[in-house]
Amino acid sequence: SEDLLVNRKPRMALEAALQAANNNPEHAGIYLMQMISFYCRISVAPPDLLIRNTADQLQKNTSFASSFTTPIGIGLENILTYKKIGGCQNADFSALAPALVHIDQGLIHHYGNQREHLWFLRLTLAEWLLETGNPKSALHILRDAWATGDKSAMPMTGLALARTLTAEKSSAEALQV
């Protein structure tokens, strides 16, 4: 479906991603996120129903293996990039917030003390939670990622944590970070 989008056939690309979601229910959320990304790339607001269905599918996910975490991280980062440059036409992504919290909780449960290598995905989840107006949930993720990770390998997490703490009027903790 990516090739179809590159060849300026967005309707066919969207249909291919939807068919992939229907044919692969265990990864449906990933394909639906790909559809959102396609809308954003062609500067069209993704339908609210698509965003809600994506959130529903992501919340149903119970597998947190790399076959899920890698495409989720890439998909969320792609959509966020297009959103920042105005490609999503002011779409309301707030329905995704509970699914993002669910994903993070699943990562913590699945990886336990071995979750430090997931810092970039968790940073992306936190950025999305900030975008959807959920700073407390974002802070929870950022604090945990910062506390459990190798700080020298992931300074972006510390920077995001300090900025969020400052915005939330916790400047003493921000200075410590």
Side-chain angles (χ1 to χ4, degrees), residues 1 18 50 53 56 90 98 105 111 143 145 153 166 169 175-176:
S1 54
L18 182 59
L50 174 60
N53 286 343
D56 291 345
N90 300 318
Q105 291 301 307
Y111 289 95
R143 282 181 175 129
T166 301
K169 311 289 190 254
L175 283 172
Q176 286 179 333

Side-chain angles (χ1 to χ4, degrees), residues 80-99:
L80 193 58
T81 299
Y82 293 119
K83 184 177 182 337
K84 286 179 180 176
I85 62 172
C88 297
Q89 300 292 319
N90 300 318
D92 179 7
F93 288 106
S94 59
L96 285 177

Side-chain angles (χ1 to χ4, degrees), residues 28-37 40 46-61 68 72-81 83 88 91-105 124-134 137-138 141:
I30 294 168
Y31 293 109
L32 295 175
M33 259 189 6
Q34 185 180 37
M35 290 177 67
I36 292 171
S37 176
C40 293
D48 289 338
L49 181 59
L50 174 60
I51 294 169
R52 285 192 308 274
N53 286 343
T54 302
D56 291 345
Q57 289 301 318
L58 291 175
Q59 276 201 269
K60 290 178 184 176
N61 183 69
F68 173 76
I72 285 296
I74 292 169
L76 287 170
E77 183 63 27
N78 282 342
I79 297 168
L80 193 58
T81 299
K83 184 177 182 337
C88 297
D92 179 7
F93 288 106
S94 59
L96 285 177
L100 301 174
V101 171
H102 165 77
I103 291 169
D104 190 63
Q105 291 301 307
T124 303
L125 292 171
E127 286 179 319
W128 266 100
L129 288 165
L130 290 169
E131 286 281 326
T132 58
N134 294 276
S137 296
I141 292 172

